Amino acid sequence: MRPAYVSGYFYPLRESDLLKFMSEVILDIPKRKVRGIVVPHAGYNFSGSVAGKVYSSIECPDVFLLIGPKHSMDSDGLFLSQTSWATPLGEVMPDRDLGESLLHHCEFIHLNERAHANEHSLEVQVPFIKYVCPKAKILPIVVSTTSEGILSSTGKCIASVLKGYNKSVVLVMSSDLNHHEPQEITIEKDKKVIDKLISLDPRGLLKTVYEEDVSMCGAWSCFLGLTILKELGVNKAELLEHRTSGDVNKDYTQVVGYTGILYE
């Protein structure tokens, strides 16, 4: 089992405290059947309300396919986990059938549990999933490559596997947006990124990130996710929320942007 490495740091360590937090950010709102979502991965005190609104809005699938950045980038590749993940709310099981299929068909995806150690981008999603969809399984993949060719090829491969899979799957793209610039600059940069996310434009997303110098940590994982959704024929997206860390701590000098998006 993969330990909850960042519990007590990014989110509450104790079950009672985590349940209290979830009860505050998970809303009683209509649920929608979605194919994918974009959610942030900062500490819950900063971005948990955005993530909570997203997870409150979706019908539970059988499986959450989690895609997020490996912040350390100490190895090159796409790394899948096939073990269970611990949370303060209990264990979450992997969908090993889907994992085996991806490992068999997609040449650039590799099984590597160590690549997930201490990486928070996917871990912070798992307590939300356990709370909202306790019966759902997960399949986490961390992205540690900047090869557009590899990501494009892998996105098409994953989509091909999903088309033949007999369970419902929601794709989770984990990313924060612009980092550590003033509020007005971050809002301007984030809007350009969100426009590309909403229009399902993976290459346009990377172009915007480079040309506008946006410090978006999950650009490459979102490129992969958008490629998958496009291959699946998804063409409808909705922005649920956009906030910054300044909206929480009232320090608008160096903020981080967070967004929540639904894909149907």
Side-chain angles (χ1 to χ4, degrees):
M1 183 190 302
R2 179 193 183 277
Y5 288 101
V6 298
S7 61
Y9 178 45
F10 277 78
Y11 57 89
L13 174 66
R14 295 194 306 175
E15 179 184 16
S16 58
D17 293 336
L18 184 52
L19 287 172
K20 181 177 184 296
F21 177 85
M22 290 294 178
S23 71
E24 294 168 351
V25 300
I26 298 300
L27 311 174
D28 184 15
I29 56 179
K31 305 294 187 285
R32 295 155 61 176
K33 187 174 183 178
V34 302
R35 305 296 298 277
I37 58 178
V38 173
V39 280
H41 56 238
Y44 282 11
N45 57 323
F46 284 106
S47 68
S49 64
V50 177
K53 186 173 184 179
V54 175
Y55 284 108
S56 300
S57 303
I58 65 175
E59 290 185 5
C60 289
D62 297 317
V63 186
F64 285 91
L65 176 57
L66 306 173
I67 297 177
K70 182 168 169 57
H71 285 82
S72 62
M73 292 290 281
D74 53 5
S75 51
D76 188 72
L78 296 157
F79 304 118
L80 182 147
S81 170
Q82 284 279 63
T83 191
S84 60
W85 285 40
T87 83
L89 306 180
E91 183 179 5
V92 180
M93 301 303 295
D95 188 327
R96 294 194 176 97
D97 291 339
L98 180 56
E100 288 300 324
S101 187
L102 293 181
L103 289 168
H104 177 73
H105 292 285
C106 303
E107 63 176 314
F108 298 113
I109 296 178
H110 305 286
L111 179 63
N112 188 334
E113 301 295 348
R114 288 183 299 172
H116 291 266
N118 294 310
E119 174 51 57
H120 67 274
S121 70
L122 300 184
E123 179 180 328
V124 299
Q125 311 305 329
V126 182
F128 279 104
I129 291 168
K130 181 64 175 177
Y131 184 84
V132 174
C133 302
K135 296 181 180 179
K137 294 183 177 181
I138 59 172
L139 192 65
I141 300 175
V142 286
V143 175
S144 185
T145 181
T146 57
S147 169
E148 186 174 330
I150 287 176
L151 292 171
S152 180
S153 172
T154 302
K156 293 175 183 177
C157 180
I158 292 174
S160 177
V161 170
L162 292 179
K163 286 176 184 177
Y165 201 52
N166 60 359
K167 297 178 184 176
S168 59
V169 180
V170 167
L171 174 66
V172 178
M173 290 174 276
S174 173
S175 182
D176 296 336
L177 301 185
N178 196 54
H179 288 62
H180 307 315
E181 290 193 279
Q183 174 89 346
E184 60 274 14
I185 293 176
T186 289
I187 289 176
E188 181 180 349
K189 289 186 175 184
D190 283 0
K191 183 181 184 304
K192 294 176 180 179
V193 166
I194 290 168
D195 286 346
K196 300 304 179 185
L197 291 170
I198 292 290
S199 59
L200 285 104
D201 184 0
R203 288 189 170 83
L205 171 65
L206 293 185
K207 186 172 184 287
T208 297
V209 167
Y210 282 123
E211 291 184 352
E212 302 295 331
D213 191 27
V214 185
S215 52
M216 175 185 180
C217 51
W220 292 99
S221 49
C222 284
F223 176 93
L224 174 62
L226 293 177
T227 301
I228 296 168
L229 292 176
K230 285 187 67 176
E231 289 292 318
L232 291 174
V234 176
N235 55 24
K236 182 181 178 183
E238 179 183 335
L239 173 65
L240 278 189
E241 187 103 43
H242 176 234
R243 302 187 70 190
T244 75
S245 58
D247 298 323
V248 177
N249 63 10
K250 308 307 177 185
D251 178 1
Y252 299 105
T253 60
Q254 287 193 329
V255 306
V256 180
Y258 315 116
T259 194
I261 299 174
L262 301 182
Y263 296 88
E264 297 181 275

